[in-house]
Amino acid sequence: MGAKSGAALVAVFLLLLLSPAVFSLSNDRLIRVGLKKKKLDQLNRVTGQRYSEERGTLGGIERKYSFHGYNGDYEDTDIVSLKNYMDAQYYGEIGIGTPSQKFTVIFDTGSSNLWVPSSKCYFSIACYLHSKYKSSESSTYKKNGKSADIHYGSGAISGFFSQDNVKVGDLVVKKQEFIEATKEPGITFLAAKFDGILGLGFQEISVGKAVPVWYNMVDQDLVPEPVFSFWLNRNTKGEEGGELVFGGVDSSHYKGEHTYVPVTQKGYWQFDMGDVLIDGETTGFCSGGCSAIADSGTSLLAGPTTVITQINHAIGASGVVSQECKMVVGQYGKTILEMLLAEAQPQKICSQMGFCTFDGTRGVRMGIESVVDEHEHKSSGGLRDGMCTVCEMAVVWMQNQLRKNQTEEQILDYVNQLCDRLPSPMGESVVDCGDLASLPSVSFTIGGRVFDLAPEEYVLQVGEGLAAQCVSGFIALDVAPPRGPLWILGDVFMGRYHTVFDYGNMQVGFAEAA
């Protein structure tokens, strides 16, 4: 759960199938830790929204992914059951110290550090409402003392490093470096259903370069194979929240075969992704390739604003109207169309019109931040503002409609409708719960295979009866080239598709969840 803003997702894919002997594990040979699941209600939605400001469960996602640089026997296979909170937080139990002190943590493939509240946390109310690590009560504790800070969307946790044994399921990881948090943002963690975070990303993004728990599991020969996998139960009425399997894959968690794609850049579990489809039709954005990461710590599914706006328009989700967008379309829409018809280079149109300042050598870059937040955003050496952002989005939208031989009037009307669908600053877009049966599927191409999401899988329902509210599972996130465009396939996607993180072969696999 580190600082946020996603990794690169797309291109041509290499399909690598892992050995069935490695991953075909029977249930009676797996170690399970049963955990309870928190029931969803309207009151808890507030908690989810507060939490989302930091972690991106319902918004505020951009700060996590900042790319300025990265500051033998099946009986040994371990399974950690997961709680399902709001279809937004999946967390399980670990132990730290000797004797073991219990904590609930988010198992987060989008970060790499382990942190829990410290008994030395005196001035953060959140610490008083969660389990706290007491080094004085552990015979295996070893002092470190190096300071540590992890920054999130609207705050940070801070503390210091310590060393102790960490128990995950029945596995005991010895001499694990972790962070004792002595300060937590009050609102963010005050009512959270978890105590801390256990990162399952690569050491390249570990704060303080601490060796991740997963690395030590492998190095200490605690797992038969350097593989872990997630099954997330999206049935909020079910008893189980899901399972995290260390050392292999439980064959009862998926159907068919996994499609594997190589990790393209270590840090996050990043891979190449292809076209994004709405009801089987291309959106025209990722047909040339995008980058993606599989992130168990992000609840929704994040992608470039241009495509997310098209998706939310197609599913009838309503967001915040962008006046800048409508102004650009109203005053300059015809000019943009004429330039496209004259076969002008799409990536240079907005700079030629004076909206953007950059050298014109990169692809069209979409960014909603400056539109809704009105803060200055810099990328690729060029100064950006809201007008540049919406101009670039309009170019992509119009270009896609021209391929469908739409008339000028139809294109401008369509783009104006997309302006109405621009998401709110928090990223949320609301859908009419009564329309779910008529909504289109949204699909993602990975490793040459199309992965579909049905409406009931990409829409989150909060509350019951007349008080029910449906929220789009798609939120906008823009990452500039060369790291972007980027998609973050969070729990909305991982709930539908069982996900394998193959550390040994540096690849990620997806199969239909059972």
Side-chain angles (χ1 to χ4, degrees):
M1 164 168 176
K4 229 166 189 193
S5 171
L9 321 150
V10 273
V12 178
F13 310 91
L14 176 61
L15 175 60
L16 300 177
L17 297 178
L18 299 181
S19 168
V22 173
F23 299 113
S24 179
L25 305 180
S26 59
N27 288 341
D28 58 359
R29 306 179 79 178
L30 300 176
I31 302 171
R32 300 173 183 274
V33 180
L35 297 175
K36 297 179 181 179
K37 181 170 64 175
K38 182 68 178 177
K39 185 178 179 181
L40 172 64
D41 55 39
Q42 284 286 16
L43 179 61
N44 286 335
R45 181 169 184 247
V46 177
T47 302
Q49 288 174 319
R50 298 297 191 187
Y51 173 57
S52 72
E53 293 175 9
E54 304 300 331
R55 189 58 183 77
T57 59
L58 295 176
I61 191 172
E62 70 279 357
R63 287 297 298 279
K64 177 179 176 183
Y65 302 98
S66 57
F67 298 106
H68 303 297
Y70 291 122
N71 217 16
D73 292 328
Y74 289 146
E75 284 81 4
D76 292 333
T77 302
D78 200 19
I79 293 184
V80 178
S81 297
L82 302 175
K83 293 182 182 178
N84 176 357
Y85 173 61
M86 289 186 60
D87 272 347
Q89 297 176 19
Y90 289 87
Y91 55 99
E93 189 174 275
I94 65 169
I96 302 179
T98 308
S100 184
Q101 301 173 37
K102 295 182 179 180
F103 300 90
T104 56
V105 296
I106 298 275
F107 290 93
D108 180 20
T109 59
S111 68
S112 301
N113 290 89
L114 167 61
W115 69 262
V116 295
S118 171
S119 61
K120 298 177 177 63
C121 179
Y122 304 117
F123 303 108
S124 292
I125 298 177
C127 288
Y128 289 93
L129 300 178
H130 293 90
S131 299
K132 295 179 288 295
Y133 171 75
K134 302 176 180 66
S135 59
S136 60
E137 297 182 5
S138 174
S139 62
T140 47
Y141 161 75
K142 183 177 180 180
K143 183 178 180 180
N144 179 307
K146 182 175 62 177
S147 63
D149 296 277
I150 300 181
H151 296 271
Y152 303 114
S154 58
I157 67 109
S158 59
F160 56 90
F161 282 98
S162 291
Q163 178 184 295
D164 210 333
N165 292 349
V166 173
K167 185 177 182 181
V168 182
D170 281 352
L171 305 181
V172 177
V173 181
K174 297 181 179 179
K175 299 180 179 179
Q176 175 64 47
E177 194 174 15
F178 67 100
I179 296 172
E180 290 191 49
T182 56
K183 182 180 179 182
E184 300 180 18
I187 293 178
T188 304
F189 296 104
L190 191 59
K193 303 303 176 184
F194 61 92
D195 300 314
I197 306 295
L198 192 154
L200 292 169
F202 293 90
Q203 190 174 4
E204 279 79 355
I205 59 171
S206 175
V207 171
K209 299 300 179 184
V211 177
V213 174
W214 169 244
Y215 280 45
N216 282 328
M217 280 188 186
V218 174
D219 293 342
Q220 295 175 24
D221 294 323
L222 299 178
V223 290
E225 296 294 335
V227 175
F228 61 90
S229 55
F230 274 88
W231 170 65
L232 304 181
N233 183 8
R234 299 298 279 182
N235 180 6
T236 57
K237 296 181 180 179
E239 291 297 321
E240 296 177 284
E243 287 183 338
L244 166 58
V245 179
F246 288 106
V249 174
D250 184 342
S251 60
S252 69
H253 287 161
Y254 64 93
K255 305 172 185 177
E257 300 292 333
H258 286 85
T259 294
Y260 288 93
V261 288
V263 172
T264 55
Q265 183 162 340
K266 290 171 63 176
Y268 306 105
W269 288 87
Q270 179 176 324
F271 53 92
D272 287 338
M273 189 183 82
D275 205 2
V276 178
L277 312 173
I278 301 175
D279 220 12
E281 293 191 9
T282 179
T283 57
F285 186 81
C286 286
S287 55
C290 287
S291 292
I293 66 172
D295 184 1
S296 62
T298 293
S299 299
L300 304 187
L301 199 158
T305 300
T306 302
V307 188
I308 295 299
T309 302
Q310 291 182 60
I311 292 173
N312 281 333
H313 171 262
I315 67 176
S318 57
V320 174
V321 176
S322 170
Q323 294 305 315
E324 291 98 332
C325 185
K326 284 186 168 292
M327 186 180 76
V328 168
V329 175
Q331 296 185 18
Y332 305 99
K334 291 185 178 181
T335 302
I336 294 173
L337 272 176
E338 290 172 359
M339 295 179 75
L340 286 171
L341 290 170
E343 299 184 352
Q345 291 180 284
Q347 69 269 28
K348 294 187 177 183
I349 288 178
C350 294
S351 60
Q352 290 172 348
M353 295 180 68
F355 287 121
C356 305
T357 304
F358 57 90
D359 60 14
T361 60
R362 59 181 173 80
V364 176
R365 150 79 170 98
M366 278 58 63
I368 189 60
E369 303 97 332
S370 55
V371 176
V372 296
D373 296 336
E374 297 181 357
H375 62 70
E376 184 179 51
H377 185 77
K378 298 180 180 180
S379 65
S380 302
L383 297 175
R384 307 183 51 79
D385 58 21
M387 301 297 282
C388 175
T389 295
V390 296
C391 175
E392 289 183 329
M393 288 193 289
V395 168
V396 173
W397 293 335
M398 292 180 185
Q399 191 176 20
N400 193 42
Q401 290 300 300
L402 282 173
R403 296 192 186 103
K404 299 179 180 180
N405 295 319
Q406 298 292 304
T407 66
E408 176 183 295
E409 183 179 356
Q410 289 173 323
I411 292 174
L412 293 178
D413 180 63
Y414 174 75
V415 174
N416 264 308
Q417 291 181 53
L418 292 184
C419 288
D420 287 333
R421 301 298 183 183
L422 286 174
S424 68
M426 281 300 292
E428 293 184 42
S429 294
V430 180
V431 179
D432 187 337
C433 295
D435 292 340
L436 292 187
S438 62
L439 298 184
S441 63
V442 178
S443 310
F444 301 85
T445 308
I446 301 173
R449 175 182 167 190
V450 176
F451 293 82
D452 298 319
L453 289 178
E456 61 271 19
E457 294 162 344
Y458 63 68
V459 173
L460 280 69
Q461 182 167 314
V462 180
E464 297 179 359
L466 295 176
Q469 187 176 37
C470 290
V471 177
S472 168
F474 301 102
I475 57 174
L477 169 70
D478 294 283
V479 180
R483 296 302 300 271
L486 171 73
W487 289 81
I488 298 176
L489 306 186
D491 298 340
V492 164
F493 187 86
M494 290 178 61
R496 177 69 174 83
Y497 295 101
H498 179 264
T499 308
V500 178
F501 297 84
D502 183 356
Y503 179 73
N505 293 302
M506 286 296 153
Q507 57 185 2
V508 183
F510 302 99
E512 183 180 355

